[in-house]
Amino acid sequence: ILTSLLLNVWIYRSIIKPLDRLKLATQNIKYGNFDFEMPNVPKNEIGDVCRDFEEMRVILKQSSEDKIRSDMEEKELIRNISHDLKTPLTAITTYVELLKKEDITEEERRSYIDTLEKKSLRLKVLIEDLFEVSKATSNNIVLHPMDVDVVNLMKQVSVEHTSQYEELGLDLRFHVPEEKVVLQLDNQKTYRIFENLFVNIQKYAMPNSRVYVDVSVEGDMVRIVLKNMSKNPIDFSADEI
């Protein structure tokens, strides 16, 4: 009984209470209220998520005050943020309720805690991504240029998606210079750009088709082109993409 009581107290302080604060913060952001704080969060993964969320809130508030985007764009961004956060938050809440049950086995308890950790990490990644977006829209983003071989970087990204491409039957074909193509770029952020392009191909390319990656040096410029066949008819204008 004492162990169960202590476990319930730990669950409440470490998971339920900060989750309630996080849900309240999400609701505030959804309705455009950035004047709130999340003090006294625990020192665990969910606490890290709360602190990341607080940093994002400060940046979003500054962005709103500076009117970087129009009111319509800000509302659309807020709706998207709320939607992206809803899925892992709902899952976390569900598994917290399961943990509170007294008739679960130790194996089930470990499984639920493992799932909670995964969902919390997923939520943390989402908020970090949104944090980067909010910094970019408020012109607070800092770049760290260095010598980057863009061909090698693109191949690194493609390797990360090899299994997904193979499952879809996508034949990736590189047409790139044999020598290095070195540019002054922020390695991490350029990696994210390339990763986004490869993920989009994975989402929208017609299965069992070819995908082309072309890199060419044109004077003092480097041209990078990714091409794929769309699985759906392109019956809309480019402005709608």
Side-chain angles (χ1 to χ4, degrees):
I1 293 174
L2 179 60
T3 301
S4 177
L5 179 61
L6 290 174
L7 180 61
N8 284 333
V9 170
W10 177 85
I11 291 173
Y12 176 77
R13 291 182 176 177
S14 301
I15 300 177
I16 298 176
K17 192 173 181 180
L19 271 178
D20 287 339
R21 289 175 177 170
L22 196 56
K23 289 175 70 176
L24 180 61
T26 304
Q27 290 171 357
N28 274 275
I29 281 189
K30 180 179 179 180
Y31 294 106
N33 176 28
F34 302 111
D35 296 320
F36 65 89
E37 296 180 3
M38 288 189 291
N40 303 322
V41 294
K43 294 182 179 180
N44 56 22
E45 289 292 341
I46 296 179
D48 290 341
V49 170
C50 292
R51 281 182 282 275
D52 288 340
F53 200 98
E54 173 64 13
E55 288 188 71
M56 183 189 72
R57 176 195 68 81
V58 173
I59 297 296
L60 284 173
K61 181 179 179 181
Q62 183 64 45
S63 176
S64 178
E65 290 173 351
D66 293 342
K67 295 188 180 297
I68 299 297
R69 294 172 177 258
S70 68
D71 290 342
M72 185 178 296
E73 289 173 333
E74 287 177 354
K75 289 178 181 178
E76 183 67 23
L77 176 63
I78 291 167
R79 282 196 294 268
N80 289 337
I81 289 173
S82 300
H83 181 268
D84 289 341
L85 295 176
K86 182 178 180 181
T87 301
L89 266 176
T90 301
I92 289 171
T93 303
T94 300
Y95 279 95
V96 166
E97 292 300 319
L98 291 172
L99 270 174
K100 290 163 65 177
K101 293 183 176 181
E102 297 182 359
D103 58 345
I104 61 175
T105 65
E106 187 61 31
E107 184 179 354
E108 287 174 326
R109 191 182 304 280
R110 286 196 299 267
S111 175
Y112 296 159
I113 292 175
D114 182 58
T115 302
L116 271 173
E117 182 179 9
K118 291 178 181 177
K119 296 299 181 181
S120 298
L121 289 173
R122 172 59 180 158
L123 192 60
K124 187 173 186 291
V125 169
L126 277 173
I127 291 176
E128 286 174 349
D129 287 346
L130 293 169
F131 182 44
E132 288 297 317
V133 170
S134 61
K135 287 198 296 185
T137 56
S138 59
N139 292 329
N140 288 328
I141 198 165
V142 178
L143 299 177
H144 302 284
M146 63 181 70
D147 286 343
V148 175
D149 180 359
V150 293
V151 173
N152 183 56
L153 185 61
M154 293 192 75
K155 288 183 176 179
Q156 287 180 31
V157 179
S158 69
V159 168
E160 296 291 328
H161 299 275
T162 299
S163 60
Q164 294 92 326
Y165 275 41
E166 288 178 349
E167 289 178 7
L168 294 169
L170 297 176
D171 181 13
L172 189 60
R173 301 193 177 188
F174 277 87
H175 297 144
V176 300
E178 293 183 2
E179 65 277 6
K180 292 183 177 180
V181 180
V182 179
L183 298 174
Q184 280 284 310
L185 299 168
D186 184 303
N187 186 72
Q188 183 180 11
K189 291 178 174 60
T190 306
Y191 184 98
R192 295 295 298 276
I193 292 171
F194 291 160
E195 182 180 44
N196 188 58
L197 293 171
F198 277 99
V199 168
N200 281 344
I201 290 173
Q202 181 183 323
K203 288 180 179 178
Y204 304 115
M206 178 181 290
N208 303 310
S209 62
R210 287 183 288 273
V211 176
Y212 296 94
V213 181
D214 300 332
V215 178
S216 58
V217 180
E218 302 173 1
D220 59 350
M221 302 290 289
V222 174
R223 183 177 178 86
I224 300 171
V225 180
L226 283 80
K227 292 186 288 188
N228 65 275
M229 173 90 59
S230 172
K231 63 182 176 183
N232 296 319
I234 303 178
D235 53 1
F236 48 85
S237 68
D239 294 336
E240 294 180 56
I241 298 179

